[in-house]
Amino acid sequence: MISIDWILYIVIYAAFFICAFYALTCVDFAKFCKIYNMAKVNLLVFMLSMSLAWMCTEAVMTLTIRRGF
């Protein structure tokens, strides 16, 4: 059975992922990395969004729910 902590973790992760994906679409990675294959650029933005969302979620969960210091 899924606990409330995991549901909260998934919701926070999804929110941070959406924010990170929206923010990273403003950067023109094709020109920045000199990669003109849009599939690779989209994959890069997706992977960066996932990693940023994971880091932010871990920080928020550690500082609030898990009370880590």
Side-chain angles (χ1 to χ4, degrees), residues 1-50:
M1 185 165 178
I2 298 177
S3 66
I4 298 296
D5 290 344
W6 282 106
I7 294 171
L8 186 61
Y9 187 91
I10 292 169
V11 168
I12 292 172
Y13 181 83
F16 277 127
F17 177 78
I18 292 168
C19 291
F21 193 80
Y22 179 72
L24 287 174
T25 55
C26 296
V27 179
D28 188 14
F29 284 103
K31 193 186 321 180
F32 181 70
C33 296
K34 295 182 177 129
I35 299 172
Y36 297 105
N37 186 355
M38 287 308 293
K40 289 183 181 180
V41 173
N42 290 337
L43 182 63
L44 175 66
V45 171
F46 182 77
M47 297 295 284
L48 285 173
S49 299
M50 285 179 56

Side-chain angles (χ1 to χ4, degrees), residues 9 12 16 52-68:
Y9 187 91
I12 292 172
F16 277 127
L52 282 172
W54 177 75
M55 287 187 289
C56 293
T57 303
E58 285 295 320
V60 167
M61 292 294 285
T62 301
L63 294 174
T64 58
I65 302 297
R66 297 177 191 152
R67 290 177 177 73

